[in-house]
RNA sequence: GGGCGCAUAGCUCAGUUGGUUAGAGCGUUACAUUGACAUUGUAAAGGUCAGAGGUUCGACUCCUCUUGCGCCCACCA
């Protein structure tokens, strides 16, 4: 063996060896208890950052542990098409390199181009997953937008439509004029912004606004029914007043939605461009008039301002109102939150649009339910399914505090807008011909059917992710074995987007939960506690760390000190320290190799009981017991998903107990018997460590085999049996 | 406005049912060593476990309040 451990010499070869042997496949433990995880699919166009490395490592530790326990273990790889994000990135490049936009191409052509772009990026991601040593079953690689997933998506859509859970409606939605698409409520990010706040005279009232450009359509003035200041005004009363483009007739509306504490307690409403105003308008059956179009241009209702962009028009409108003496005052230091698209950053302009929705509060009959507390054939809503799945304990969320957050979210959930006006994604499987509408898997027979041009929210296909890669709806065998998944390990920031949607989809389509457990991990931050992001340019390429210190060192450093659900601070020093640990293990192995003449050829024992019998020295016996105790501690931690505690304990033991004390002790008195014990215990230690540090443990294992130190046993440590105190 | 979390050694953090001198990594200091170890080993310094009160025989751990950070949700006419 070389003097020091050189990770570059081993890692790639060992990974290829494992893969070729088929050791990542569940079939190596055909009779084991099923254990399954699906990889949260990374965005195809991105690169793996340190957070992915962390997330993947947690899963690989669980997977390798269960595989060694003898479970029929499946870890399913895949990537996500990330509709909006991918198309936006492509369009940016298209514009930069070729000065072209999506409108220069046919739909088919454009889709093909984006897809090609996406898939060309995919290789890089997959290469990174290999480098991290992740034991994924590559033969099952899936993509959220491949043919099989398309079938799954269309099947899901059709089933929901037939149950009346998917409907089309004209509703106020979050419109991103920049990306020209709808954005879901939870895809909105509020950004603090300072804007002038205007107080205008509106007849006898004073109203406040930051958005004068929306005010053309305001012909209703709303006040609280209990507001004494306005007790002389009656609901439905009409008043004449002078407004931007001349005299108008306004109607008084009394509604609790008006806050008496705020400003004058009176507001006008713009139903077409505000969600709350829209609700008020619907409640009272008021007229709804569009003022601003898709692109942020004022419509004819704006009179002389028609055709202007809202950004430019604002100042001009205020100027005109000033001249008319309708401006009461302007507060220049008003700070408020502006809704923006979290992917792309466009400012949201609420609009009324015809969109597809998933009804979360509509009752339907769930024929086949395996969810505790929901009877087959009973009437439920999707919301109830999502709630019950967690309440019943069928899905356990860890850390537990996130369950509260989950319930709170569910309780406030509104119908889910699933249609997007972009091209890249799953096209809505609905076809129209005159007044006919057809929903199904394929275009219906006959001529002149036109498919809906919208695509589905990327989370619609992600919601199917626990079972669509297993072959649903065509192949049920895989489902039987591996669904529900044993555990899901996403970051906590994705709880609503994804975890909740998977519970919804699985509950409705399969009548069961998607997974038994959710382990929410934290965000990896840099030394200053900042999130890694492209804009801050503080990103760390995992491959750089791997190259410098080795995959094992990176994996170990990420897990060390990372308690469930807590954020992790990434520190390169920690990785360096773990590289030293790899080297320490290597040198422990070298010590054994150098002393092998003492033991010549022998079969190392993996049974603690057997070792206890063989051991002659009391000190050796003591270390057999200590190691057995360690094994029971480690397995306990792993079973409870306390990976950090397991990693910390094993590190401490290997270095500061086994090496510093035991090896130092045995060094002076080594004989044939002690050698056998020492070597056997060391190999047990390697097995305990393997899920965390797969490469160095395997490298040593292979060196031992090659040098005749370890005669029997399997040809890879990764399929050896995980040490348990009883065996 | 509603909710949640965090506060432990210079830095980054562990500490799961309340029980003897509170731990690790990195960093700092001293000494040793070419040894299986691009070092490693031995040892040291460093903490009224944010503050105040309470429960208890006993609190870093449970309860209440205060302070300082961070996050989520809602909403801003």
């Amino acid at each position: 063996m070389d003097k020091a451990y050189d990770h570059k010499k081993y890692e790639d070869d060992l990974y290829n060896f494992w893969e070729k042997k088929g050791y990542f496949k569940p079939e190596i433990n055909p009779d084991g208890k099923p254990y399954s995880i699906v990889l949260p699919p990374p965005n195809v166009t991105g690169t793996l950052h340190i957070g992915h490395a962390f997330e993947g490592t947690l899963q690989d530790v669980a997977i390798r542990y269960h595989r060694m326990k003898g479970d029929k273990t499946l870890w399913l790889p895949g990537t996500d098409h990330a509709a909006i994000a991918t198309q936006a990135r492509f369009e940016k490049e298209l514009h930069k390199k070729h000065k072209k936009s999506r409108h220069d191409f046919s739909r088919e052509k454009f889709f093909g181009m984006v897809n090609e772009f996406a898939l060309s990026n995919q290789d890089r991601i997959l290469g990174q997953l290999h480098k991290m040593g992740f034991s994924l079953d590559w033969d099952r690689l899936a993509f959220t937008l491949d043919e099989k997933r398309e079938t799954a998506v269309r099947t899901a859509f059709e089933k929901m439509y037939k149950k009346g859970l998917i409907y089309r409606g004209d509703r106020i939605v979050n419109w991103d004029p920049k990306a020209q698409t709808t954005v879901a409520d939870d895809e909105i990010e509020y950004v603090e912004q300072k804007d002038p706040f205007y107080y205008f005279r509106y007849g006898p009232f004073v109203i406040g606004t930051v958005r004068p450009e929306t005010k053309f359509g305001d012909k209703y003035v709303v006040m609280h029914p209990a507001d004494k200041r306005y007790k002389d005004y009656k609901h439905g009363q009409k008043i004449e007043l002078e407004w931007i483009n001349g005299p108008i007739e306004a109607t008084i509306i009394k509604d609790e939605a008006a806050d008496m504490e705020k400003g004058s307690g009176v507001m006008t409403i713009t139903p077409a461009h505000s969600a709350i105003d829209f609700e008020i308008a619907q409640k009272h059956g008021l007229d709804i008039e569009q003022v601003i179009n898709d692109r942020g241009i004022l419509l004819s209702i704006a009179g002389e301002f028609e055709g202007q962009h809202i950004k430019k028009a604002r100042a001009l409108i205020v100027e005109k109102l000033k001249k008319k003496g309708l401006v009461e005052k302007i507060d220049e230091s008003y700070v408020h939150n502006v809704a923006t698209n979290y992917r792309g950053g466009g400012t949201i302009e609420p609009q009324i649009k015809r969109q597809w929705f998933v009804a979360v509060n509509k009752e339907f009959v769930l024929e086949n339910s395996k969810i505790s507390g929901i009877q087959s054939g009973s009437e439920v809503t999707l919301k109830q399914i999502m709630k019950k799945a967690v309440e019943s304990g069928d899905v356990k969320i860890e850390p537990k505090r996130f369950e509260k957050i989950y319930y709170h979210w569910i309780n406030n959930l509104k119908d889910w807008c699933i249609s997007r006006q972009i091209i890249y994604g799953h096209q809505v499987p609905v076809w129209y011909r005159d007044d006919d509408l057809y929903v199904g898997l394929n275009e219906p027979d006959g001529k002149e059917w036109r498919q809906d041009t919208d695509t589905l929210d990327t989370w619609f296909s992600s919601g199917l992710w626990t079972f669509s890669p297993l072959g649903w709806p065509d192949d049920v065998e895989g489902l039987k074995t591996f669904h529900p998944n044993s555990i899901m390990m996403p970051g906590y920031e994705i709880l609503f987007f994804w975890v909740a949607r998977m519970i919804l989809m699985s509950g409705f389509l399969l009548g069961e939960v998607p997974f038994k457990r959710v382990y929410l991990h934290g965000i990896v931050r840099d030394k200053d506690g900042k999130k890694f992001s492209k804009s801050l340019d503080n990103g760390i390429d995992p491959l750089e760390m791997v190259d410098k210190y080795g995959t094992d060192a990176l994996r170990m450093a990420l897990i060390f000190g990372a308690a469930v659900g807590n954020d992790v601070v990434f520190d390169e020093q920690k990785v360096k320290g773990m590289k030293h640990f790899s080297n320490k293990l290597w040198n422990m192995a070298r010590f054994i190799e150098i002393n092998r003449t003492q033991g010549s050829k022998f079969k190392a024992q993996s049974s603690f009981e057997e070792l206890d019998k063989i051991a002659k020295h009391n000190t050796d016996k003591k270390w057999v017991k200590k190691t057995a105790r360690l094994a029971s501690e480690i397995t306990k931690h792993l079973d409870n998903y306390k990976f950090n505690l397991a990693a910390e304990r094993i590190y401490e033991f290997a270095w500061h107990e086994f090496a510093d004390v035991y090896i130092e002790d045995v060094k002076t008195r080594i004989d044939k018997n002690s050698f056998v014990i020492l070597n056997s215990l060391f190999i047990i230690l390697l097995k305990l460590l393997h899920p965390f540090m797969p490469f160095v443990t395997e490298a040593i294992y292979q060196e031992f085999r090659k040098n005749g130190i370890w005669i029997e046993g399997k040809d890879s440590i990764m399929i050896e049996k995980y040490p348990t105190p009883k065996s």
Side-chain angles (χ1 to χ4, degrees), chain A residues 573-624:
Chain A
Q573 283 307 311
K574 211 155 126 189
V575 188
K576 194 176 164 192
M578 289 305 161
K579 185 194 159 132
H580 290 158
F581 182 51
S582 305
N583 195 242
K584 184 74 186 180
L585 290 167
W586 185 261
N587 278 288
M588 287 158 75
R590 277 193 74 212
F591 175 80
I592 287 169
E593 190 205 30
I594 287 162
N595 285 286
R596 73 164 167 245
T597 45
Q598 301 290 337
S600 65
K601 296 202 167 183
F602 75 102
K603 188 185 171 212
Q605 278 296 331
S606 53
S607 153
F608 290 110
E609 279 160 25
E610 199 57 35
L611 282 168
D612 189 53
K613 263 185 235 163
I614 301 170
K616 286 181 185 148
H617 287 89
N618 279 336
T619 319
D620 292 341
K621 266 195 200 301
K622 190 176 94 189
W623 284 94
V624 171

Side-chain angles (χ1 to χ4, degrees), chain A residues 319-496:
Chain A
E319 205 45 50
K320 184 168 183 192
L321 284 165
K322 261 187 191 162
K323 277 187 193 145
K324 294 181 91 169
L326 294 175
V327 176
E328 175 87 9
K329 62 172 173 174
I330 301 172
D331 177 1
E332 294 287 350
S333 60
Y334 182 69
V335 177
H336 64 143
N337 291 328
V338 176
T340 61
N341 181 353
Y342 95 124
R343 285 184 157 155
T347 304
I348 299 300
E349 303 287 347
Q351 286 280 4
I352 291 164
K353 289 266 165 190
R354 176 157 291 190
Q355 300 287 342
W356 288 98
F357 293 89
V358 170
V360 292
N361 288 312
K362 186 171 179 181
E363 290 204 322
F364 66 97
V365 175
L366 186 67
E367 274 97 18
N368 264 316
S369 169
K370 287 174 236 167
I371 301 167
S372 308
I374 297 178
Q375 298 275 319
S376 292
S378 63
E379 285 221 320
V380 285
T381 65
L382 291 172
K383 206 180 242 191
Q384 285 163 353
I385 288 179
M386 286 191 269
K387 225 170 153 178
K388 205 78 200 170
V390 177
E391 269 174 2
S392 65
D394 286 6
V395 174
K396 286 194 180 66
I397 300 179
E398 264 177 276
K400 220 172 158 57
R401 64 187 146 94
F402 284 103
E403 288 190 0
K404 270 190 208 163
I405 299 174
Y406 176 82
Y407 292 137
H408 182 257
W409 183 79
I410 303 270
N411 288 335
N412 293 304
L413 191 61
K414 290 185 195 145
D415 286 357
W416 171 21
C417 176
I418 50 169
S419 44
R420 295 295 124 93
Q421 290 67 49
I422 56 170
I423 290 168
Y424 194 56
H426 289 279
Q427 198 169 347
V428 172
V430 177
W431 287 263
Y432 308 97
R433 185 172 66 184
D434 302 326
D435 289 340
D436 286 348
L437 179 154
Y438 174 83
V439 177
L441 298 192
N442 294 298
E443 184 173 346
D445 293 335
K447 281 184 180 167
E448 286 174 19
W449 286 97
R450 293 181 59 132
Q451 189 170 1
D452 195 306
T453 54
D454 285 357
T455 48
L456 292 170
D457 180 8
T458 181
W459 299 103
F460 191 91
S461 57
S462 308
L464 313 174
W465 194 242
T466 60
F467 50 91
S468 66
L470 288 171
W472 185 87
D474 303 326
D475 171 20
V476 228
E477 257 334 283
L479 276 186
K480 261 190 213 156
T481 315
F482 296 115
H483 206 270
N485 294 167
S486 306
I487 191 164
M488 171 61 62
M489 300 193 190
Y492 62 69
E493 77 277 9
I494 216 168
L495 177 66
F496 307 135

Side-chain angles (χ1 to χ4, degrees), chain A residues 484-547:
Chain A
N485 294 167
S486 306
I487 191 164
M488 171 61 62
M489 300 193 190
Y492 62 69
E493 77 277 9
I494 216 168
L495 177 66
F496 307 135
F497 281 133
W498 197 36
V499 175
R501 262 68 185 265
M502 286 190 285
I503 296 176
L504 181 158
M505 288 295 191
S506 178
F508 172 74
L509 294 163
L510 306 177
E512 64 184 26
V513 296
F515 29 69
K516 295 169 195 153
R517 238 173 145 139
V518 184
Y519 177 111
L520 296 165
H521 66 254
I523 294 169
V524 183
R525 298 174 181 278
D526 71 5
K527 273 184 301 217
D528 305 320
K530 291 204 184 78
K531 244 167 120 163
F532 286 112
S533 74
K534 276 182 204 134
S535 53
L536 290 171
D537 197 29
N538 60 351
I540 286 183
D541 183 359
L543 290 189
E544 193 188 309
M545 293 295 117
V546 162
D547 187 60

